[in-house]
Short mmCIF file of all heavy atoms in Angstrom, two decimals:
data_model
loop_
_atom_site.label_atom_id
_atom_site.label_comp_id
_atom_site.label_asym_id
_atom_site.label_seq_id
_atom_site.Cartn_x
_atom_site.Cartn_y
_atom_site.Cartn_z
N SER A 290 45.27 -42.36 230.52
CA SER A 290 45.32 -42.16 232.01
C SER A 290 46.37 -43.00 232.61
O SER A 290 46.51 -44.18 232.27
CB SER A 290 43.92 -42.50 232.53
OG SER A 290 44.02 -42.83 233.90
N SER A 291 47.20 -42.37 233.43
CA SER A 291 48.27 -43.18 234.13
C SER A 291 48.73 -42.35 235.31
O SER A 291 48.21 -41.27 235.58
CB SER A 291 49.53 -43.35 233.14
OG SER A 291 50.16 -42.19 233.05
N ALA A 292 49.73 -42.86 236.05
CA ALA A 292 50.24 -42.15 237.15
C ALA A 292 50.81 -40.78 236.66
O ALA A 292 50.74 -39.74 237.44
CB ALA A 292 51.47 -42.93 237.73
N LEU A 293 51.21 -40.66 235.41
CA LEU A 293 51.76 -39.40 234.91
C LEU A 293 50.63 -38.38 234.78
O LEU A 293 50.87 -37.20 235.06
CB LEU A 293 52.41 -39.63 233.52
CG LEU A 293 53.74 -40.39 233.58
CD1 LEU A 293 54.10 -40.81 232.15
CD2 LEU A 293 54.83 -39.56 234.20
N THR A 294 49.45 -38.75 234.28
CA THR A 294 48.36 -37.79 234.14
C THR A 294 47.84 -37.36 235.50
O THR A 294 47.56 -36.20 235.71
CB THR A 294 47.20 -38.39 233.29
OG1 THR A 294 46.61 -39.45 233.99
CG2 THR A 294 47.67 -38.84 231.94
N ARG A 295 47.85 -38.29 236.43
CA ARG A 295 47.40 -37.93 237.79
C ARG A 295 48.39 -37.04 238.49
O ARG A 295 47.96 -36.09 239.22
CB ARG A 295 47.19 -39.25 238.62
CG ARG A 295 45.87 -40.00 238.12
CD ARG A 295 45.59 -41.12 239.13
NE ARG A 295 46.50 -42.27 238.95
CZ ARG A 295 46.41 -43.14 237.99
NH1 ARG A 295 45.52 -43.02 237.02
NH2 ARG A 295 47.28 -44.17 237.91
N LYS A 296 49.69 -37.15 238.11
CA LYS A 296 50.64 -36.26 238.67
C LYS A 296 50.39 -34.84 238.11
O LYS A 296 50.72 -33.83 238.80
CB LYS A 296 52.09 -36.72 238.25
CG LYS A 296 53.09 -36.34 239.29
CD LYS A 296 54.32 -37.28 239.27
CE LYS A 296 55.33 -36.95 238.27
NZ LYS A 296 56.40 -37.91 238.07
N MET A 297 49.82 -34.71 236.97
CA MET A 297 49.47 -33.43 236.36
C MET A 297 48.11 -32.97 236.82
O MET A 297 47.53 -31.99 236.28
CB MET A 297 49.61 -33.50 234.85
CG MET A 297 51.00 -33.69 234.40
SD MET A 297 51.17 -33.91 232.60
CE MET A 297 50.90 -32.24 232.03
N GLY A 298 47.48 -33.68 237.77
CA GLY A 298 46.19 -33.26 238.26
C GLY A 298 45.04 -33.66 237.39
O GLY A 298 43.91 -33.11 237.60
N LYS A 299 45.24 -34.56 236.38
CA LYS A 299 44.11 -34.93 235.48
C LYS A 299 44.01 -36.49 235.48
O LYS A 299 45.06 -37.17 235.59
CB LYS A 299 44.45 -34.46 234.08
CG LYS A 299 44.51 -32.93 233.92
CD LYS A 299 43.40 -32.44 233.07
CE LYS A 299 43.31 -30.91 233.13
NZ LYS A 299 44.46 -30.25 232.48
N GLU A 300 42.84 -36.97 235.41
CA GLU A 300 42.66 -38.38 235.18
C GLU A 300 42.97 -38.76 233.69
O GLU A 300 43.77 -39.62 233.43
CB GLU A 300 41.24 -38.84 235.53
CG GLU A 300 41.02 -40.33 235.50
CD GLU A 300 41.97 -41.15 236.45
OE1 GLU A 300 42.17 -40.69 237.60
OE2 GLU A 300 42.46 -42.23 236.01
N TRP A 301 42.31 -38.00 232.79
CA TRP A 301 42.46 -38.31 231.33
C TRP A 301 43.11 -37.10 230.64
O TRP A 301 42.78 -35.95 230.83
CB TRP A 301 41.12 -38.56 230.68
CG TRP A 301 40.43 -39.82 231.24
CD1 TRP A 301 39.51 -39.84 232.14
CD2 TRP A 301 40.76 -41.12 230.86
NE1 TRP A 301 39.12 -41.18 232.40
CE2 TRP A 301 39.94 -41.99 231.58
CE3 TRP A 301 41.65 -41.73 229.91
CZ2 TRP A 301 39.93 -43.36 231.44
CZ3 TRP A 301 41.69 -43.13 229.78
CH2 TRP A 301 40.83 -43.90 230.54
N LEU A 302 44.06 -37.41 229.73
CA LEU A 302 44.69 -36.36 228.89
C LEU A 302 44.57 -36.77 227.44
O LEU A 302 44.88 -37.94 227.07
CB LEU A 302 46.21 -36.27 229.24
CG LEU A 302 46.57 -35.33 230.43
CD1 LEU A 302 48.11 -35.36 230.58
CD2 LEU A 302 46.07 -33.92 230.29
N GLU A 303 44.14 -35.83 226.61
CA GLU A 303 44.06 -36.07 225.18
C GLU A 303 45.49 -36.27 224.56
O GLU A 303 46.38 -35.44 224.84
CB GLU A 303 43.33 -34.97 224.50
CG GLU A 303 43.18 -35.16 223.01
CD GLU A 303 43.15 -33.75 222.31
OE1 GLU A 303 42.51 -32.86 222.83
OE2 GLU A 303 43.80 -33.66 221.34
#
Side-chain angles (χ1 to χ4, degrees):
S290 157
S291 77
L293 290 166
T294 64
R295 286 187 289 280
K296 212 153 84 186
M297 294 174 73
K299 298 246 170 66
E300 185 60 40
W301 295 100
L302 277 180
E303 179 210 319

